[in-house]
Amino acid sequence: RPKPEPSAAAPLVVKTTGPEQRVVGEIARFIIEVTNAGTTPLKNVKVVDRYDPAFLMPKLATDDYYLEGRNLAWTIQTLSAGQSIPLEVQCLCQAAAAKTCNRVTVTTPDGARAESEACLEIRAPGATPPSTTPPAPASEGLAMEVVGLRNPVAAGKDLFYEIRVTNN
């Protein structure tokens, strides 16, 4: 994956992360992190998230998104100097693909631009993935992980959590 770099016009950085592989019918979780690496605030920062709807269908996204054609978009009113804002999109993997990508473009009204992408392979159900690491030793019982989906959260706003339980 290419390393995100600040635009020449402004210190705008975007980094997109997601899974490397999923199976048809599973959810792929993408995190988009928009950062102002400069020393002055950026206003009206627009984030557009693009994907191929034949393979990825958004099912859940960070609040305050709007549709721009088939794409999801957000407008960040003010991005303070040094501030990073995470956005999340969870997509249903709809069909097998050797490679499909979630591509993000971030722009400001003064012309600053940054881009990032996270690509993955979507396997057909029942396909066995190539082994890249040895299996982890099994432990008994249940494992639980709790992740806040929007952090920080403004006073008076709802905070959503994702709770993952694994039967070891």
Side-chain angles (χ1 to χ4, degrees):
R1 294 180 188 155
K3 181 181 176 187
E5 295 184 14
S7 163
L12 186 61
V13 179
V14 62
K15 179 182 176 187
T16 308
T17 56
E20 292 182 9
Q21 295 179 342
R22 283 291 179 261
V23 173
V24 172
E26 291 183 341
I27 295 291
R29 180 176 177 233
F30 297 97
I31 302 297
I32 302 162
E33 187 172 352
V34 181
T35 303
N36 178 354
T39 57
T40 58
L42 297 173
K43 302 282 187 189
N44 298 314
V45 177
K46 184 175 181 180
V47 180
V48 178
D49 183 40
R50 300 179 319 276
Y51 48 87
D52 185 339
F55 302 110
L56 295 170
M57 178 59 62
K59 292 295 184 181
L60 183 66
T62 300
D63 291 342
D64 299 326
Y65 72 89
Y66 55 95
L67 293 177
E68 190 172 272
R70 292 184 176 182
N71 305 319
L72 299 180
W74 294 263
T75 299
I76 301 168
Q77 299 301 320
T78 302
L79 189 60
S80 301
Q83 182 182 14
S84 291
I85 292 184
L87 301 170
E88 178 176 338
V89 178
Q90 292 184 19
C91 295
L92 174 65
C93 298
Q94 299 195 116
K99 179 180 178 181
T100 187
C101 300
N102 181 315
R103 293 180 172 89
V104 178
T105 303
V106 181
T107 56
T108 62
D110 66 359
R113 180 180 180 98
E115 296 180 343
S116 180
E117 69 178 20
C119 299
L120 75 155
E121 172 191 6
I122 302 174
R123 296 185 317 271
T128 55
S131 179
T132 56
T133 57
S139 61
E140 293 184 28
L142 298 176
M144 184 172 80
E145 178 183 14
V146 179
V147 179
L149 297 182
R150 186 173 185 168
N151 193 10
V153 65
K157 293 284 188 175
D158 291 334
L159 176 61
F160 294 94
Y161 287 93
E162 181 175 289
I163 300 171
R164 298 180 191 142
V165 179
T166 305
N167 184 352
N168 293 320

